[in-house]
Amino acid sequence: MATREELCAKKSEAIAAFTVEGETVSCELYGSGHINDTHLLITRTAEGKERRYILQRINHVVFPHPEEVMENIESVTAHLRRGILCEGGDPDRETLTVVKTKEGAPYYRDSIGSFWRVYLYIEDNLSLDKVETPEQFYKSGVAFGRFQSRLSAFPAETLHEAIVDFHNTPVRYGNLERAIARDACGRAAECAEEIAFVRERREFTELLYKAHAEGRLPLRVTHNDTKLNNILFDATTGEPLCVIDLDTIMPGFSVNDFGDSIRFGATTAAEDETDLARVSLDLDLFRTFARGFIEGCGGRLTEEEITLLPVGAKMMTLECGMRFLTDYLEGDTYFRIHREKHNLDRARNQFRLVASMEEKWEEMAAIVRELSH
Ligand code: ADP
Ligand code: GN1
Ligand code: MG
């Protein structure tokens, strides 16, 4: 494992490999993603013009085949660009632009085996870790719905499965049981309550896969990581500008894209809030986002998919909690943590949100029924 210092040295090696304009002015860690090492790279050209880029070290423990991830991103963004151009939009701001290496590749592999990529920095953007106004959340629903509908004609069979079984909740359940059985860090005893909570919901984890097997739920090309901070807003107009973090685009269920946004955005507290009394589902935000998402999907969602939207919300919240708990039991090797027990705090928070959804289940169902007419 390389040290942070070694990685810093590799950063310069990586920058030199790409066709970025000008000389480096600065390159600092940026944003609040849990997975990749993201840097804002600022350069200055010979004419004195400042240029900005996003330089990322792709987490290749999480993404074992970064070259396949980049192949997916290149073909998906090419498809999106064509659609944006047809609609008279600006593809350089409304989708990600991959900057190539001097050898024409979409990524660079450094001398210690880390993978790097560069995107054009999307200027004048606003990145949100928390919903500020209901209107904003409604618009993010439209944007994620539209994103899915823009990809409805994309040939799904050409996509690599970037992370196998990423949102296969029954498989995630199995992973958790294995982590409990191994108890590699001796942490299972302290998580007895959380483990019991998940076990009581084992059958629920299978619900969407059953619906799919029975032909009631189609596979679509989905984003699979629809957190609010994976959309950039236009800082001037406040409109959603660009869906980012395209690493996990794969065939999946529409209701899970809906659900992950609810998990992160329609809660009354941050994902890692430790005061659980502050964590609950905000039904107004749930309604607002559902309205936007259904609208953005442009009539493509089936009635069954609309009915299953609340299930998607609970599924993604339970699954995310299970993933945080698994990572805690395995010694925090997947999600970036910023304090001790961070993953356990996140898991507890997500399970509290699941419980809140269960308390408000009838209202959630009534809202989507109402919106489907
Ligand atoms: P992670 O997978 O770790 O979440 P992301 O690709 O989402 O990584 O990037 C982390 C953050 O960096 C984003 O939430 C966003 O704030 C910022 N970011 C990423 N790409 C761009 C871009 N092209 N232009 C501007 N900001 C970006
Ligand atoms: C990760 O990459 P980021 O921070 O946008 C994770 C998501 C989780 C999320 C929880 C590739 O998202 O699946 O829902 O953290 N991404 C990956 O906040 O595992
Ligand atoms: Mg992200």
Side-chain angles (χ1 to χ4, degrees):
M1 207 53 163
T3 64
R4 211 97 204 150
E5 290 70 35
E6 281 169 319
L7 287 174
C8 258
K10 295 300 157 199
K11 208 162 66 174
S12 314
E13 178 189 325
I15 296 168
F18 285 92
T19 53
V20 296
E21 273 188 85
E23 297 300 318
T24 304
V25 173
S26 63
C27 186
E28 301 299 331
L29 282 172
Y30 184 77
S32 48
H34 293 342
I35 302 294
N36 296 305
D37 287 338
T38 302
H39 309 82
L40 171 61
L41 166 65
I42 304 181
T43 65
R44 188 162 292 118
T45 66
E47 298 78 40
K49 292 212 172 92
E50 194 179 279
R51 296 274 182 263
R52 297 210 252 181
Y53 302 91
I54 287 289
L55 169 75
Q56 284 181 323
R57 190 170 70 98
I58 306 173
N59 183 329
H60 75 270
V61 175
V62 169
F63 297 103
H65 300 288
E67 67 291 348
E68 294 187 355
V69 169
M70 293 314 291
E71 215 179 296
N72 283 353
I73 292 178
E74 285 207 291
S75 53
V76 165
T77 51
H79 179 96
L80 291 170
R81 285 183 97 80
R82 286 192 291 274
I84 294 165
L85 278 171
C86 280
E87 290 168 21
D90 174 358
D92 285 350
R93 294 195 79 221
E94 292 171 36
T95 189
L96 288 172
T97 306
V98 175
V99 175
K100 297 277 174 73
T101 65
K102 290 171 180 157
E103 300 192 331
Y107 62 88
Y108 171 70
R109 189 168 182 201
D110 71 21
S111 46
I112 56 167
S114 293
F115 287 79
W116 299 81
R117 68 174 163 219
V118 173
Y119 291 125
L120 290 185
Y121 180 82
I122 294 168
E123 296 292 344
D124 194 30
N125 81 71
L126 183 66
S127 169
L128 297 169
D129 286 320
K130 199 177 174 325
V131 172
E132 288 172 348
T133 65
E135 179 70 3
Q136 213 171 38
F137 197 41
Y138 161 75
K139 287 178 178 169
S140 77
V142 177
F144 276 128
R146 195 176 291 148
F147 182 82
Q148 210 173 86
S149 96
R150 274 183 177 153
L151 288 175
S152 60
F154 187 88
E157 67 286 356
T158 63
L159 285 173
H160 301 284
E161 200 174 351
I163 301 176
V164 177
D165 289 326
F166 188 56
H167 282 324
N168 188 330
T169 317
V171 166
R172 296 286 187 183
Y173 181 90
N175 294 346
L176 174 60
E177 285 291 1
R178 257 190 308 283
I180 299 166
R182 261 191 85 217
D183 197 14
C185 304
R187 294 175 171 178
E190 152 194 28
C191 309
E193 223 177 286
E194 289 70 30
I195 292 169
F197 184 92
V198 176
R199 284 181 172 155
E200 280 160 24
R201 287 157 185 80
R202 178 186 186 152
E203 214 175 303
F204 174 80
T205 63
E206 289 161 6
L207 209 151
L208 293 177
Y209 275 83
K210 280 204 176 130
H212 176 61
E214 289 161 8
R216 292 187 288 117
L217 186 63
L219 267 182
R220 301 189 181 275
V221 175
T222 48
H223 182 280
N224 296 305
D225 192 0
T226 51
K227 296 207 287 203
L228 186 67
N229 62 17
N230 286 332
I231 281 198
L232 297 179
F233 291 82
D234 186 313
T236 309
T237 64
E239 293 296 319
L241 187 55
C242 180
V243 173
I244 61 165
D245 206 344
L246 306 180
D247 297 338
T248 49
I249 290 185
M250 284 175 282
F253 301 136
S254 58
V255 302
N256 283 343
D257 266 8
F258 169 82
D260 204 39
S261 287
I262 295 298
R263 172 191 80 73
F264 191 80
T267 164
T268 50
E271 183 184 68
D272 58 357
E273 170 64 58
T274 51
D275 179 358
L276 297 186
R278 297 169 71 167
V279 182
S280 66
L281 178 75
D282 181 325
L283 278 173
D284 291 333
L285 288 178
F286 176 84
R287 180 196 306 274
T288 300
F289 186 88
R291 195 162 54 81
F293 187 78
I294 293 171
E295 200 179 301
C297 284
R300 282 192 173 79
L301 294 179
T302 64
E303 235 173 80
E304 184 80 14
E305 281 176 299
I306 297 181
T307 307
L308 287 171
L309 290 174
V311 172
K314 181 172 153 188
M315 193 66 74
M316 283 301 94
T317 313
L318 180 64
E319 184 192 278
C320 197
M322 285 175 357
R323 292 172 61 200
F324 287 142
L325 184 58
T326 305
D327 198 29
Y328 181 67
L329 293 172
E330 289 178 341
D332 308 307
T333 58
Y334 187 98
F335 295 102
R336 182 177 300 122
I337 55 166
H338 304 287
R339 57 175 191 253
E340 235 187 283
K341 297 189 195 277
H342 204 166
N343 275 319
L344 179 58
D345 291 342
R346 289 169 174 154
R348 288 183 168 146
N349 175 305
Q350 298 296 288
F351 296 149
R352 175 66 206 111
L353 187 56
V354 168
S356 170
M357 288 178 184
E358 289 171 348
E359 284 155 22
K360 298 178 183 179
W361 197 248
E362 291 313 318
E363 288 101 313
M364 290 166 79
I367 288 169
V368 296
R369 252 197 321 272
E370 202 182 286
L371 290 172
S372 70
H373 295 126

